[in-house]
Amino acid sequence: MSNAICQASELLPLLGGATNATAAATYICDRFTTVAYAVDNTYLLFSAYLVFAMQLGFAMLCAGSVRAKNTMNIMLTNVLDAAAGGLSYYLFGYAFAFGGPSNGFIGRHSFALHNFPSASFDFSFFLYQWAFAIAAAGITSGSIAERTQFVAYLIYSSFLTGFVYPVVSHWFWSADGWASPTRTTGKLLFGSGVIDFAGSGVVHMVGGVAGLWGALIEGPRIGRFDRSGRSVVLRGHSASLVVLGTFLLWFGWYGFNPGSFLTILKAYGSPGGYYGQWSGIGRTAVTTTLAGSTAALTTLFSKRLLVGHWNVTDVCNGLLGGFAAITSGCSVVEPWAAIVCGFVASWVLIGLNKLAEKVHYDDPLEAAQLHAGCGAWGLIFTGLFATKHFVEEVYGSDRPYGLFMGGGGKLLAAQLIQILVVFGWVTFTMGSLFLGLQKIQLLRISSNDEMAGMDLTRHGGFAYLYNDEDDPSQKPGSFMMRRVEPSGGSTPSPTPY
Amino acid sequence: MSNAICQASELLPLLGGATNATAAATYICDRFTTVAYAVDNTYLLFSAYLVFAMQLGFAMLCAGSVRAKNTMNIMLTNVLDAAAGGLSYYLFGYAFAFGGPSNGFIGRHSFALHNFPSASFDFSFFLYQWAFAIAAAGITSGSIAERTQFVAYLIYSSFLTGFVYPVVSHWFWSADGWASPTRTTGKLLFGSGVIDFAGSGVVHMVGGVAGLWGALIEGPRIGRFDRSGRSVVLRGHSASLVVLGTFLLWFGWYGFNPGSFLTILKAYGSPGGYYGQWSGIGRTAVTTTLAGSTAALTTLFSKRLLVGHWNVTDVCNGLLGGFAAITSGCSVVEPWAAIVCGFVASWVLIGLNKLAEKVHYDDPLEAAQLHAGCGAWGLIFTGLFATKHFVEEVYGSDRPYGLFMGGGGKLLAAQLIQILVVFGWVTFTMGSLFLGLQKIQLLRISSNDEMAGMDLTRHGGFAYLYNDEDDPSQKPGSFMMRRVEPSGGSTPSPTPY
Amino acid sequence: SQIIMPCSTTELATFLGSNTTAAAVYICSRFTAATTQLAATTYAVDSTFLLFSAYLVFSMQVGFAMLCAGSVRAKNTMNIMLTNVLDAATGALFYYLFGFAFSFAGTHPFIGFGHRYFGLRQFPDDSFDFPFFLYQWSFAIAAAGIASGSIAERTQFVAYLIYSSFLTGFVYPVVARWFWSPHGWASAGSAGSERLLFGSGVIDFAGSGVVHMVGGIAGLWGALIEGPRIGRFDHEGRSVVLRGHSASLVVLGTFLLWFGWYGFNPGSFTRILVPYGNGQGDFYGQWSAVGRTAVTTTLAGCTGALTTLFGKRVLSGHWNVMDVCNGLLAGFAAITSGCSVVEPWAAILCGFMAAWVLIGCNKLAIRFKYDDPLEAAQLHGGCGAWGVLFTALFASEKYINEIYPGRPGRPFGLFVGGGGRLLAAHIVQILAVTGWVSLTMGPLFLTLHKLRLLRISPDDEMAGMDLTRHGGFAYAYHDDEDSNKRFRIQMDNMDKSGSAPPGFD
């Protein structure tokens, strides 16, 4: 995993005068190698912690975006995405993804971290990849929120983290993957391989397409479209939690995108110069920031024009749309291009939301539109704007690069292939799974449960209790009672806020 | 603190023939040493920041777990744990813990960071240890929540952070401590010393046992057990805050456990290999993740069976139980053993909660059960499962290791000794303190205050104000009024669960 | 340029003794490869340190958002949170387009210009790299975040967008130029042999003046020109507390700011792999100074919190977590200037005084009927100014020479025997910052006011901006399924304005 920052054979001639020049060169180089491992692992570990913080962001974003009566439910699924994902990724997910040597389709070594670490992969890499895997599962849980049985969550989440996602990451990120740009065994796809640097396709499209099928198969929440088919907004219960979650995701994205370099100690060009992977990493953080910021501002003004008022939750979604899009090309585009990326991402999201409304598709967190839609745009964007110079630095020389930058259409073709295969694979696996769950009545909750809220019927009670009562057994019928009465939807609601 | 990564005396003979070889060798090695200090301090500082983030996690977890009427109170104590702890640990806590050279019982140098830094300890180490000290105080505040006078908090918190905890950490972690595995002055306890790597005993048991005595001496909250002695759940007011706090603790635990290595730039075996302390650190993060995840899943299913519904706050507590348990052995056990650790921890917590109910022990955050109970299990677990190989890497060769791994019973004996002395010492010091406070009527609040809530009577008002009123002088008597009326406890309770 | 050169012929020659230059050249040439690898290592370590510090500083924006949200009334929560998100987003674009160049391009002592750096053109170079840009951006948005607190709950959204872009894109970068660019007229680390202000320059290490005073004074003028919120002072002119809607969010925000401050202050070193002395493998180096800075920061904040706790208990009769949070932040804002150059014990003094400065400024604000929902002007402007003075009084000679090497005999803290010249420079800073921000942001707010773009209408203010401008209320703890009912409820909410039970203040 670490770079060969110091070659004894290079140092050797320079030490000509020493008695034992070979030994001296080796001695010095070994120390540099140790330093490089320590620095790179430090970098990767803290990046992994940041990516983990995104799980907290998802939990808060989801909690704030659903109605109060389903808060306990959605938060539990988020905790379990991380926990169940921890076990399933340890037991087999990692092996499917990176257990080389293997074929181009699926890995097959290192189950339960057998014979680990190796010269290629260390524990920090496992931790980093686990944090990515649970992010994919977190995305999906947003699409099917507020109407899905808890057991269905457990099943799809383990399946997604343990099998569907690892296979996709094997294709595009492992050295054996058939479409990987770092492939060592065989020809690169279109002489290029797919450049999905931090996973617009591998993570965001996988999570989003899985959510799309789940939500389509379940159908919209009760009340989401009224009798005449008009869309009714079912507002989340806390904008504060949405903003908290969004900022935490932003924070974590600095681990997600720049962290995907995996190592930092590597000079580009001549050694000793100021320019190296650290610059590339910094630039990646900058492109990420600019794409998200542009998307947020674009959403702000366009929503103002379209809807007539400012809306912070829309701005948050726009921001995340920009991040999801730049995730693919973050390391290989110029900062100005990131602005283009974010601008378009915001319109992609707005357009898909219109479309979703038209076809009566209900996604409480807009997860399919945001992660699958903007993720797909991000892959195309990379095929258009990837810069020669940066592609060379990150992946090696003599490769196709962005169409608009003069690099021809090969990279774009590879990116389009990725969109198709990711969509196909996730549709095939997760679509079947959700259909099967529905057939055996394990997918959607009963309409009574849905009206009453899952917290009350399945999770032992409401998430909030702002009035302080020590003895809950007395005097039903006051305002709190009415508030969460199982027939809730039809009850007049007396609390004005 | 940093490792001698490069020895001029080793390099010198290799450069023998060069002009001024001695100077050259020294020159080169000095630069390596500088790099090592920078890398190790960077690693330790960011780990310390993560551990500090746990204080935020505690604050949110505590706030969400108490009733709304005591939120201001509990959050203030959490802020002050950190603030008062900062001063008392600076003034004498650190000196008691690490102020060597000293005897085996207590340190006695570096008060107020006098003559600091030294070749052994730098400021980053102080900061890291401070973050640990305030964590111990944070644990205790959970046990005695909702019924303790604010002044009592200030007193016990300064005493715990400034004296009780530092002494314990001196015993097990300083180079002079009588039971430390890194002891340099005298024989190791049972030829082994206690392996409490990141503090299941030193931090969690200390905080938990202190809380146990506080809560026992105060007695349960009013209404926690009804007239016929049945347990009544007094639900916290916000599950969102509980989940937020739990995830932040998880995030911070990546500083707590892997950070306890203190340095990262150290090759195991000869320099230049891929395997080194960075691998150990990554593995520690993985064992931590797996133990917590397993405990969360075990709690999820067993509570479902026992209680009949899914419960996110129980899952959160289970997760934290797994973390508290693995904290002792995180660096010296295999990942699969961490799964065993988490599985048992979850049952330890469930069992202790049953026991607590039976003996009418009331602990609003289950802190004593979770941190003391699972912490003690964690120490035993280390005595059973510590691996020879890892113990050698972390602590040095030729030592006893885990009983089940074929290492004999000496380590287990040392671990049992730790459980006994930690329990005894904390009981002796904190038990007396809480008893004394109770004698002079400084411990428990009046029952009127307790019914009304401390926020209203002592902290200037209620924590939340979701209705927006610009003119507080008009229209008394609305439902909000009833909600926080000082006679609150007697108000009929309308909540249906 | 800022990198240590691991093998320098001259350096090597100095310890090899006289007439050994040839030997030094020889040895150095033998180790070219090792040297360049060490350079790469140094860049990588320093960039890792700086990047993660920048991420921490960014997390302060979460802290600001939560602190602001909790400190305003529920009816304006959506509004204030949106401004916080946009501080970061607009800040990113404007700082990218020209803010960074104004701060760090060219050699003019007052403002940066030229071809470089606008839109990050010809970037990076051997002076500045992307991690540095990211770090500086996170500082710029912090300044804008401070000001948004002062004018909360009564400012038009468009006004936020305008002032925030102007502050992040121009006002703040110019100030940063003066004190932090090597070419700035008052910089302490001036390039080459340029003359330093009072032979010293201003030591505003992490920005008590550059960030906190700029944000605080901008907020001061905004809040003064707008006037207090409706109901903040009653008919007889008595102060009425308009409590924020969630103490939990306030505490969350405060802790996140504390967390982020570990990026703000220790991160301001921007590099950690710097040996002090001659690089002889000593345990003491910039990493120790970075750690010490984290310790002084912690101690100042802790002391500020405890002082406020007891001070307020004596003054107002009850414990108050919101006040303690503000006291904590006051200590941080004050120590930010001197964090790297004072002893830990001095940080305790700093925090102690900061708490009283804040209490005093708040009393003063009430007397002058100045309304600042987050006490931002008092806290960041007032305690920031105290911090700048504090540095001039307690800065230690040893630490200054370690951090700003190459100019022996420079002035240091007055109370530790360093004479008054540093103090003079710092007073100049306070005046210059106050003057510049007043001259730029004051007219901006006045113009907005004249154009009726600043303050919202009284109706909007009573109803809350969330309802009138942001599409609805931030919270919906009841679950209503249809929009008609929600509309009625919102109306209901408006009707009820003006009623609350006593006992909430």
Side-chain angles (χ1 to χ4, degrees):
Chain A
M1 189 185 95
S2 195
N3 313 299
I5 72 158
C6 186
Q7 299 287 2
S9 55
E10 285 177 19
L11 189 54
L12 179 55
L14 306 171
L15 292 170
T19 3
N20 199 344
T22 317
T26 311
Y27 186 90
I28 294 172
C29 275
D30 282 351
R31 264 123 200 103
F32 273 117
T33 309
T34 300
V35 169
Y37 276 117
V39 172
D40 288 340
N41 275 281
T42 303
Y43 176 72
L44 189 57
L45 278 169
F46 281 96
S47 295
Y49 305 157
L50 286 185
V51 179
F52 172 75
M54 295 177 79
Q55 205 62 17
L56 168 57
F58 275 121
M60 294 299 112
L61 183 70
C62 287
S65 300
V66 304
R67 289 163 293 175
K69 63 182 179 183
N70 295 319
T71 310
M72 303 274 273
N73 176 265
I74 194 86
M75 290 192 304
L76 184 55
T77 67
N78 277 291
V79 174
L80 290 174
D81 280 341
L87 287 181
S88 62
Y89 203 72
Y90 163 73
L91 291 175
F92 30 79
Y94 179 82
F96 290 151
F98 296 99
S102 70
N103 57 42
F105 180 75
I106 191 166
R108 57 177 183 225
H109 293 282
S110 297
F111 288 93
L113 292 182
H114 188 64
N115 281 335
F116 205 79
S118 69
S120 325
F121 300 116
D122 207 335
F123 287 103
S124 52
F125 181 76
F126 168 80
L127 202 77
Y128 191 70
Q129 294 301 333
W130 160 72
F132 269 59
I134 60 177
I139 291 166
T140 308
S141 71
S143 291
I144 57 175
E146 300 209 85
R147 58 199 189 281
T148 306
Q149 289 190 41
F150 186 72
V151 166
Y153 271 110
L154 284 178
I155 294 171
Y156 99 77
S157 169
S158 314
F159 186 59
L160 186 68
T161 328
F163 179 67
V164 178
Y165 166 81
V167 168
V168 176
S169 63
H170 182 81
W171 298 347
F172 301 105
W173 287 347
S174 102
D176 301 314
W178 62 268
S180 165
T182 56
R183 192 178 192 191
T184 49
T185 57
K187 281 207 298 188
L188 296 178
L189 182 69
F190 296 117
S192 155
V194 168
I195 297 188
D196 187 11
F197 185 71
S200 282
V202 175
V203 180
H204 293 279
M205 269 191 72
V206 166
V209 173
L212 173 72
W213 288 112
L216 268 183
I217 289 165
E218 290 195 284
R221 290 166 291 174
I222 297 173
R224 178 69 178 82
F225 298 99
D226 70 8
R227 259 154 284 173
S228 40
R230 280 172 313 198
S231 163
V232 176
V233 179
L234 301 178
R235 288 164 55 98
H237 80 284
S238 172
S240 303
L241 290 180
V242 170
V243 173
L244 174 61
T246 304
F247 264 124
L248 286 169
L249 284 169
W250 190 340
F251 178 60
W253 233 294
Y254 288 126
F256 207 90
N257 286 4
S260 287
F261 275 93
L262 304 179
T263 60
I264 191 168
L265 210 172
K266 181 179 178 186
Y268 292 156
S270 61
Y274 66 86
Y275 188 68
Q277 193 131 295
W278 47 88
S279 313
I281 286 169
R283 192 185 61 240
T284 302
V286 172
T287 54
T288 304
T289 308
L290 289 175
S293 299
T294 310
L297 288 170
T298 312
T299 310
L300 175 80
F301 290 112
S302 45
K303 280 281 178 171
R304 178 73 173 81
L305 292 175
L306 294 172
V307 183
H309 55 76
W310 312 103
N311 190 324
V312 68
T313 48
D314 285 343
V315 169
C316 286
N317 276 333
L319 184 79
L320 299 178
F323 286 143
I326 195 66
T327 294
S328 157
C330 52
S331 63
V332 293
V333 300
E334 294 277 2
W336 62 260
I339 294 178
V340 176
C341 175
F343 182 79
V344 177
S346 145
W347 288 106
V348 168
L349 181 59
I350 291 173
L352 288 175
N353 277 334
K354 286 259 178 245
L355 188 68
E357 227 166 64
K358 194 156 278 173
V359 300
H360 285 199
Y361 169 77
D362 177 26
D363 189 326
L365 270 100
E366 309 178 2
Q369 296 95 305
L370 200 164
H371 296 277
C374 297
W377 153 244
L379 292 174
I380 295 170
F381 163 78
T382 308
L384 300 175
F385 286 93
T387 309
K388 181 168 191 288
H389 185 43
F390 298 150
V391 171
E392 279 179 1
E393 282 164 6
V394 178
Y395 291 103
S397 48
D398 286 332
R399 282 166 182 263
Y401 50 97
L403 177 66
F404 289 178
M405 313 303 286
K410 281 186 176 178
L411 177 59
L412 184 60
Q415 305 291 94
L416 291 173
I417 293 282
Q418 180 185 16
I419 296 178
L420 293 176
V421 296
V422 167
F423 190 84
W425 166 253
V426 179
T427 302
F428 172 66
T429 50
M430 297 302 292
S432 325
L433 177 77
F434 282 123
L435 267 181
L437 286 172
Q438 202 200 24
K439 279 280 183 305
I440 53 174
Q441 312 258 326
L442 278 176
L443 191 57
R444 183 152 183 162
I445 56 176
S446 74
S447 58
N448 276 348
D449 277 12
E450 192 173 338
M451 299 298 278
M454 281 183 281
D455 288 2
L456 202 56
T457 57
R458 303 284 168 208
H459 294 270
F462 205 61
Y464 302 98
L465 201 61
Y466 282 112
N467 62 331
D468 294 311
E469 305 305 346
D470 290 322
D471 184 348
S473 61
Q474 303 173 334
K475 277 241 223 160
S478 80
F479 78 97
M480 278 295 289
M481 180 61 193
R482 293 203 306 272
R483 185 167 100 184
V484 291
E485 183 71 38
S487 58
S490 58
T491 323
S493 167
T495 41
Y497 0 84
Chain B
M1 188 185 94
S2 194
N3 313 300
I5 162 172
C6 184
Q7 301 286 3
S9 55
E10 289 176 29
L11 184 55
L12 176 56
L14 309 173
L15 292 171
T19 329
N20 265 309
T22 315
T26 312
Y27 189 84
I28 292 172
C29 277
D30 282 351
R31 263 121 198 101
F32 275 114
T33 310
T34 300
V35 171
Y37 276 118
V39 172
D40 288 339
N41 275 282
T42 303
Y43 176 72
L44 189 56
L45 277 169
F46 282 94
S47 295
Y49 305 157
L50 286 185
V51 179
F52 171 75
M54 295 177 80
Q55 204 62 17
L56 168 56
F58 275 122
M60 294 299 112
L61 183 70
C62 287
S65 301
V66 304
R67 288 164 294 176
K69 64 182 180 184
N70 294 320
T71 310
M72 302 273 273
N73 176 266
I74 193 86
M75 290 192 304
L76 184 55
T77 66
N78 277 291
V79 174
L80 290 174
D81 279 341
L87 288 182
S88 62
Y89 203 72
Y90 162 73
L91 290 175
F92 31 77
Y94 179 82
F96 291 150
F98 296 99
S102 70
N103 57 41
F105 180 74
I106 190 166
R108 57 175 183 228
H109 293 281
S110 298
F111 288 94
L113 292 182
H114 188 66
N115 281 334
F116 204 79
S118 69
S120 325
F121 301 116
D122 207 334
F123 287 104
S124 52
F125 181 75
F126 168 80
L127 202 77
Y128 191 70
Q129 295 300 334
W130 160 72
F132 270 60
I134 60 178
I139 291 166
T140 308
S141 71
S143 292
I144 58 176
E146 301 208 86
R147 58 200 191 278
T148 307
Q149 289 190 42
F150 186 70
V151 167
Y153 271 109
L154 284 177
I155 295 171
Y156 99 77
S157 170
S158 314
F159 185 60
L160 186 67
T161 328
F163 180 67
V164 178
Y165 165 81
V167 168
V168 176
S169 63
H170 182 82
W171 298 347
F172 301 106
W173 287 347
S174 101
D176 301 314
W178 61 267
S180 166
T182 56
R183 192 177 192 192
T184 49
T185 57
K187 280 208 300 187
L188 296 177
L189 183 69
F190 295 117
S192 154
V194 169
I195 296 187
D196 187 11
F197 186 70
S200 283
V202 175
V203 180
H204 293 279
M205 268 192 73
V206 166
V209 174
L212 174 72
W213 289 112
L216 269 182
I217 289 166
E218 289 196 283
R221 288 166 292 175
I222 297 173
R224 178 68 178 82
F225 298 97
D226 70 9
R227 259 155 283 172
S228 39
R230 280 172 312 196
S231 164
V232 176
V233 178
L234 301 177
R235 289 163 54 98
H237 80 284
S238 172
S240 302
L241 290 180
V242 170
V243 173
L244 173 62
T246 304
F247 264 121
L248 284 168
L249 285 169
W250 189 341
F251 179 59
W253 233 294
Y254 288 126
F256 207 90
N257 286 4
S260 287
F261 274 93
L262 304 178
T263 60
I264 190 168
L265 211 170
K266 182 179 178 185
Y268 291 156
S270 60
Y274 67 84
Y275 188 68
Q277 192 130 297
W278 49 88
S279 312
I281 285 170
R283 192 185 60 240
T284 302
V286 171
T287 54
T288 305
T289 307
L290 289 175
S293 299
T294 310
L297 288 172
T298 312
T299 310
L300 175 79
F301 290 112
S302 45
K303 280 282 178 170
R304 178 74 174 81
L305 292 175
L306 295 172
V307 183
H309 56 76
W310 313 103
N311 190 325
V312 68
T313 49
D314 285 343
V315 169
C316 287
N317 276 332
L319 184 78
L320 298 177
F323 287 142
I326 195 66
T327 294
S328 158
C330 53
S331 63
V332 294
V333 299
E334 295 276 2
W336 62 260
I339 294 179
V340 177
C341 176
F343 182 80
V344 177
S346 145
W347 288 105
V348 168
L349 181 59
I350 291 172
L352 288 175
N353 277 335
K354 287 258 176 243
L355 188 68
E357 227 166 65
K358 195 156 279 171
V359 300
H360 285 199
Y361 168 77
D362 176 26
D363 189 325
L365 271 100
E366 310 178 359
Q369 297 95 305
L370 199 164
H371 296 277
C374 297
W377 153 243
L379 291 173
I380 295 170
F381 163 78
T382 307
L384 300 175
F385 286 94
T387 310
K388 180 168 191 288
H389 184 44
F390 299 149
V391 171
E392 279 179 1
E393 282 164 7
V394 178
Y395 291 103
S397 48
D398 286 333
R399 284 166 180 264
Y401 49 98
L403 178 65
F404 289 177
M405 314 302 285
K410 281 187 174 179
L411 178 58
L412 184 61
Q415 305 291 92
L416 291 173
I417 293 282
Q418 180 184 16
I419 295 178
L420 293 177
V421 295
V422 167
F423 190 85
W425 165 253
V426 179
T427 303
F428 172 67
T429 50
M430 295 303 292
S432 325
L433 177 77
F434 282 122
L435 267 180
L437 286 172
Q438 201 198 27
K439 279 280 185 304
I440 54 175
Q441 312 258 329
L442 277 177
L443 190 57
R444 184 153 183 161
I445 56 175
S446 74
S447 58
N448 277 346
D449 277 12
E450 192 174 337
M451 300 297 275
M454 282 183 280
D455 288 0
L456 203 57
T457 57
R458 302 284 168 209
H459 294 270
F462 204 62
Y464 301 97
L465 201 62
Y466 282 111
N467 63 331
D468 293 310
E469 308 304 347
D470 291 320
D471 182 349
S473 63
Q474 303 174 333
K475 279 233 240 166
S478 75
F479 80 94
M480 279 293 289
M481 180 62 194
R482 292 203 308 273
R483 187 167 96 182
V484 291
E485 183 71 40
S487 59
S490 61
T491 320
S493 163
T495 43
Y497 17 83
Chain C
S1 74
Q2 301 186 317
I3 202 84
I4 51 158
M5 283 319 294
C7 196
S8 107
T9 310
T10 44
E11 229 177 81
L12 197 52
T14 53
F15 72 78
L16 289 178
S18 53
N19 289 329
T20 51
T21 314
V25 171
Y26 175 76
I27 293 174
C28 267
S29 71
R30 290 287 177 271
F31 294 106
T32 309
T35 302
T36 52
Q37 290 311 339
L38 198 45
T41 304
T42 309
Y43 279 118
V45 172
D46 287 340
S47 295
T48 303
F49 172 71
L50 189 57
L51 276 169
F52 282 94
S53 295
Y55 305 157
L56 286 184
V57 179
F58 171 77
S59 79
M60 295 176 79
Q61 207 63 17
V62 198
F64 275 122
M66 295 299 114
L67 183 70
C68 286
S71 300
V72 304
R73 289 163 294 177
K75 64 182 180 184
N76 295 318
T77 310
M78 302 275 271
N79 176 266
I80 193 85
M81 290 192 303
L82 183 56
T83 66
N84 277 291
V85 174
L86 291 174
D87 279 340
T90 51
L93 286 181
F94 281 88
Y95 202 72
Y96 161 72
L97 289 175
F98 24 76
F100 184 78
F102 286 153
S103 283
F104 295 102
T107 56
H108 194 278
F110 182 76
I111 188 169
F113 55 82
H115 289 296
R116 298 180 86 89
Y117 298 172
F118 285 94
L120 289 183
R121 254 184 314 187
Q122 298 173 30
F123 197 82
D125 58 24
D126 58 357
S127 310
F128 302 114
D129 202 347
F130 286 105
F132 185 77
F133 169 82
L134 201 78
Y135 191 68
Q136 294 300 331
W137 160 72
S138 64
F139 270 59
I141 61 177
I146 292 166
S148 72
S150 292
I151 58 176
E153 300 210 84
R154 58 199 190 281
T155 307
Q156 289 190 40
F157 187 71
V158 167
Y160 271 109
L161 283 178
I162 295 171
Y163 100 74
S164 170
S165 321
F166 186 60
L167 187 68
T168 329
F170 180 66
V171 178
Y172 165 81
V174 168
V175 177
R177 171 71 173 197
W178 299 348
F179 302 107
W180 287 348
S181 156
H183 303 290
W185 62 267
S187 162
S190 263
S193 56
E194 288 169 40
R195 226 164 55 89
L196 296 177
L197 183 69
F198 295 111
S200 151
V202 169
I203 298 181
D204 187 11
F205 187 71
S208 284
V210 176
V211 180
H212 292 279
M213 276 187 68
V214 166
I217 292 171
L220 175 73
W221 286 111
L224 269 182
I225 289 164
E226 289 195 285
R229 288 166 292 174
I230 297 173
R232 177 68 178 83
F233 298 98
D234 70 9
H235 302 259
E236 291 110 67
R238 281 173 311 198
S239 163
V240 176
V241 177
L242 301 178
R243 287 164 54 99
H245 80 283
S246 172
S248 303
L249 290 181
V250 171
V251 173
L252 173 61
T254 305
F255 265 120
L256 284 169
L257 284 168
W258 189 341
F259 179 59
W261 233 294
Y262 288 125
F264 206 90
N265 287 3
S268 286
F269 278 93
T270 71
R271 295 183 300 144
I272 193 166
L273 211 172
V274 180
Y276 290 158
N278 298 321
Q280 290 160 354
D282 192 26
F283 69 85
Y284 184 74
Q286 190 130 300
W287 48 88
S288 311
V290 169
R292 191 184 62 238
T293 302
V295 171
T296 55
T297 304
T298 307
L299 289 175
C302 292
T303 313
L306 289 172
T307 311
T308 309
L309 176 78
F310 292 110
K312 280 281 180 170
R313 178 74 174 81
V314 170
L315 294 173
S316 72
H318 54 76
W319 312 103
N320 191 326
V321 67
M322 313 266 210
D323 286 341
V324 170
C325 286
N326 276 332
L328 184 79
L329 298 178
F332 288 142
I335 195 66
T336 294
S337 159
C339 53
S340 63
V341 293
V342 300
E343 296 280 358
W345 59 260
I348 293 179
L349 284 180
C350 175
F352 181 78
M353 282 302 298
W356 290 108
V357 168
L358 180 59
I359 291 172
C361 285
N362 277 333
K363 288 256 178 247
L364 205 65
I366 286 175
R367 173 160 300 172
F368 288 101
K369 295 204 166 45
Y370 168 77
D371 177 26
D372 189 325
L374 270 101
E375 309 178 2
Q378 297 95 306
L379 199 163
H380 297 277
C383 298
W386 153 243
V388 170
L389 291 177
F390 161 79
T391 308
L393 301 176
F394 289 95
S396 120
E397 183 181 17
K398 173 168 178 259
Y399 299 152
I400 289 183
N401 283 322
E402 283 165 3
I403 294 168
Y404 304 101
R407 286 180 186 257
R410 51 193 297 162
F412 52 99
L414 178 64
F415 289 178
V416 286
R421 285 197 292 171
L422 183 59
L423 184 60
H426 280 216
I427 290 173
V428 167
Q429 180 188 19
I430 294 178
L431 295 176
V433 169
T434 310
W436 166 253
V437 179
S438 300
L439 275 177
T440 48
M441 296 304 290
L444 177 77
F445 282 121
L446 267 181
T447 312
L448 288 172
H449 189 60
K450 281 278 187 300
L451 296 172
R452 300 190 180 283
L453 281 175
L454 191 57
R455 184 153 182 160
I456 57 177
S457 73
D459 280 350
D460 277 11
E461 193 173 337
M462 298 298 279
M465 280 184 281
D466 288 2
L467 200 55
T468 59
R469 302 283 170 210
H470 294 270
F473 204 61
Y475 301 97
Y477 283 112
H478 57 167
D479 294 311
D480 53 330
E481 310 278 45
D482 78 13
S483 53
N484 290 335
K485 196 187 310 146
R486 188 166 50 254
F487 181 70
R488 200 189 66 231
I489 286 159
Q490 287 168 349
M491 296 282 80
D492 197 27
N493 178 41
M494 290 168 70
D495 295 343
K496 285 182 72 105
S497 58
S499 78
F504 272 97
D505 289 294

